[in-house]
Amino acid sequence: LVTVDHVVKERDVLLEREFQKVSVSGEEKCGVPFTDLLDAAKSVVKALFIREKYMALSLQGFCKITARYLQELGGKPQEPEEDEEVPESPGATEAALHSPFQRRHPYETCDPQAMPPDMGFGLQMVDGVVHVYNEKEVMDKSTELDLTYLDLLEFVADMNVLMALTINGPIKSFCYRRLQYLSSKFQMHVLLNEMKELAAQKKVPHRDFYNIRKVDTHIHASSCMNQKHLLRFIKRAMKKSAGEIVHVEHGREQTLKEVFENMNLTAFDLSVDTLDMHADRNTFHRFDKFNTKYNPIGESVLREIFIKTDNKVSGKYFAHIIKEVMADLEESKYQNAELRLSIYGRCRDEWDSLAKWAVQHKVHSNNVRWLIQVPRLYDVYRTKNQLASSQEIGRA
């Protein structure tokens, strides 16, 4: 009886792990003519070859399944696959529930004298690509490091291929229908296996929706707080620091109180509606309207004072409100964020200024990772004669 019960339990476990699957048979599964399908498939494969090449040049990983199929299409001999060790389930009893955090600020114990010495390497821009040399004094072919440098003409040719693909009608139809097909397959999987998925989730010990680690990505630091949080912060600043000099207008210094008086506003007049910083459906694909939402009350002066790193108060208010957001994340324990700051590339001291702001105000949290983005505004700078070429952005 014990043996029979054991077999029955094992069979039940296996049945629970098996999900219902739906297979689609037949030759025509994409819904586009065969000739269009053939052209689209060739173009997509060509784009994948280009992506694989650039991922390898930038020393990044590439999907192994896709790489295997591309090897077969390219007629290359398949490389032997390495056996990878499957990591243990995070629900294992010996697994650490909480990873150790660094409690101290990383710059508190940083001694400039203990920094590694200058290695003597030289950097030089050649046709928009940074080349590395062994010596700063002599930067030519004799001292150039043997690295894989991309050819400019090859890059432009690859980019033109991809740009042509983005406006190709049959390819757009094929990709759209393919995505619709995959989305429908997933919805079918949810309908058939929703309860089994839910049961599998509940079996994981010590974890539910509220105590799993969640990460918010692509969050601009200027909008990491909600409207109510920013409103409370501005009112608190008006109450405690009304006499602080925060802005210079036509060579004349202004206090925070004077800035609001020039706008005929008081702290009592402020509300979430007057801030008007909520991005609704009218801002979708309208970057002109989207950017104005970063201006409290529609005033760029307030944006400069409260959500800029480089201003009259050295970004003090911006750092303060970000640290309040960080404190909320740390209190919730399982919430993390990837905050973005911009480097525009117009001058070379932007990096130093941003680093000084971060170190001076100790803007650090174990629940936050920083990402630097470079907005694609070269056409604007070139029109205003602020930059002569896009290479200057890379140099900055």
Side-chain angles (χ1 to χ4, degrees):
L1 290 176
V2 175
T3 305
V4 172
D5 290 340
H6 183 67
V7 171
V8 170
K9 288 181 180 180
E10 283 188 348
R11 187 180 63 186
D12 291 339
V13 171
L14 291 174
L15 288 175
E16 286 179 0
R17 292 180 179 176
E18 291 181 358
F19 292 102
Q20 297 184 53
K21 298 179 181 180
V22 176
S23 62
V24 180
S25 60
E27 295 181 358
E28 296 293 337
K29 293 188 293 185
C30 59
V32 297
F34 180 76
T35 54
D36 290 350
L37 172 62
L38 194 62
D39 294 338
K42 289 180 178 178
S43 300
V44 171
V45 167
K46 189 174 183 179
L48 287 173
F49 273 117
I50 294 176
R51 177 172 176 79
E52 184 184 30
K53 178 178 70 173
Y54 283 93
M55 293 294 281
L57 287 173
S58 58
L59 303 179
Q60 298 185 65
F62 191 70
C63 178
K64 292 185 176 180
I65 298 176
T66 308
R68 187 171 72 246
Y69 282 106
L70 291 179
Q71 283 181 354
E72 294 176 1
L73 291 172
K76 299 179 181 178
Q78 294 190 14
E79 299 177 358
E81 296 184 1
E82 298 179 359
D83 295 333
E84 295 184 356
E85 294 184 1
V86 180
E88 295 184 1
S89 169
T93 55
E94 65 273 9
L97 293 180
H98 307 294
S99 58
F101 277 165
Q102 183 180 356
R103 296 297 178 187
R104 303 184 66 179
H105 189 272
Y107 294 105
E108 288 182 359
T109 58
C110 182
D111 183 11
Q113 303 297 329
M115 297 291 287
D118 186 359
M119 301 299 293
F121 290 102
L123 303 176
Q124 187 177 18
M125 297 286 287
V126 180
D127 293 331
V129 180
V130 179
H131 287 233
V132 187
Y133 302 87
N134 285 320
E135 300 177 10
K136 290 182 179 179
E137 293 77 13
V138 183
M139 290 190 288
D140 54 19
K141 287 292 184 181
S142 61
T143 61
E144 186 176 355
L145 289 183
D146 186 18
L147 300 175
T148 304
Y149 298 108
L150 188 65
D151 182 62
L152 178 61
L153 295 178
E154 182 183 0
F155 171 77
V156 172
D158 292 337
M159 185 181 68
N160 289 335
V161 169
L162 295 180
M163 294 295 290
L165 294 183
T166 60
I167 60 175
N168 186 289
I171 295 177
K172 292 167 71 173
S173 299
F174 167 73
C175 293
Y176 174 77
R177 289 176 175 272
R178 179 67 179 173
L179 290 175
Q180 292 291 102
Y181 166 70
L182 294 175
S183 176
S184 300
K185 276 189 72 174
F186 177 74
Q187 293 300 325
M188 181 63 71
H189 166 77
V190 172
L191 289 173
L192 294 175
N193 303 297
E194 182 179 9
M195 300 309 296
K196 290 185 178 180
E197 292 271 15
L198 188 61
Q201 290 179 7
K202 289 183 177 180
K203 287 185 177 180
V204 179
H206 312 295
R207 287 289 178 264
D208 55 32
F209 177 79
Y210 295 99
N211 65 358
I212 59 172
R213 285 179 171 81
K214 298 169 283 291
V215 183
D216 291 328
T217 59
H218 202 120
I219 304 297
H220 292 258
S222 302
S223 59
C224 66
M225 74 295 293
N226 57 45
Q227 291 186 95
K228 189 66 177 178
H229 189 171
L230 181 61
L231 177 66
R232 288 199 308 265
F233 182 84
I234 293 176
K235 285 187 173 182
R236 190 162 64 246
M238 279 286 293
K239 183 178 180 180
K240 295 183 178 180
S241 307
E244 184 177 7
I245 297 174
V246 296
H247 182 60
V248 177
E249 186 75 23
H250 302 299
R252 178 178 172 271
E253 294 181 338
Q254 291 181 330
T255 63
L256 188 61
K257 182 179 180 181
E258 291 173 341
V259 170
F260 276 88
E261 286 177 352
N262 291 341
M263 294 184 289
N264 296 322
L265 284 174
T266 63
F268 180 77
D269 298 325
L270 293 177
S271 67
V272 170
D273 293 330
T274 55
L275 278 184
D276 190 27
M277 298 184 70
H278 179 66
D280 53 17
R281 62 182 180 180
N282 294 322
T283 59
F284 185 69
H285 277 189
R286 287 292 303 274
F287 286 100
D288 53 341
K289 292 184 178 181
F290 180 80
N291 289 327
T292 58
K293 291 295 183 179
Y294 281 97
N295 298 330
I297 324 176
E299 296 288 342
S300 60
V301 176
L302 296 183
R303 177 182 182 179
E304 179 189 341
I305 295 172
F306 288 103
I307 52 179
K308 285 286 186 180
T309 60
D310 187 14
N311 51 27
K312 184 64 178 177
V313 292
S314 301
K316 180 180 70 173
Y317 292 143
F318 189 35
H320 195 167
I321 193 169
I322 285 182
K323 290 168 78 171
E324 290 182 0
V325 173
M326 289 177 170
D328 293 340
L329 294 175
E330 292 171 359
E331 185 179 359
S332 66
K333 197 173 186 177
Y334 295 103
Q335 283 183 276
N336 303 274
E338 177 196 76
L339 301 185
R340 291 175 169 234
L341 291 170
S342 295
I343 290 289
Y344 296 94
R346 286 175 292 185
C347 54
R348 294 198 174 190
D349 62 348
E350 285 187 69
W351 287 98
D352 294 335
S353 175
L354 185 60
K356 181 180 179 181
W357 170 80
V359 175
Q360 178 181 350
H361 298 289
K362 298 182 179 180
V363 187
H364 168 75
S365 172
N366 289 301
N367 293 63
V368 171
R369 292 294 180 268
W370 291 99
L371 188 145
I372 303 298
Q373 64 178 14
V374 181
R376 293 174 292 181
L377 298 173
Y378 168 70
D379 56 337
V380 178
Y381 303 148
R382 186 70 181 88
T383 304
K384 297 180 179 179
N385 292 324
Q386 295 179 349
L387 294 176
S389 66
S390 59
Q391 179 171 294
E392 294 185 15
I393 296 179
R395 283 176 176 170

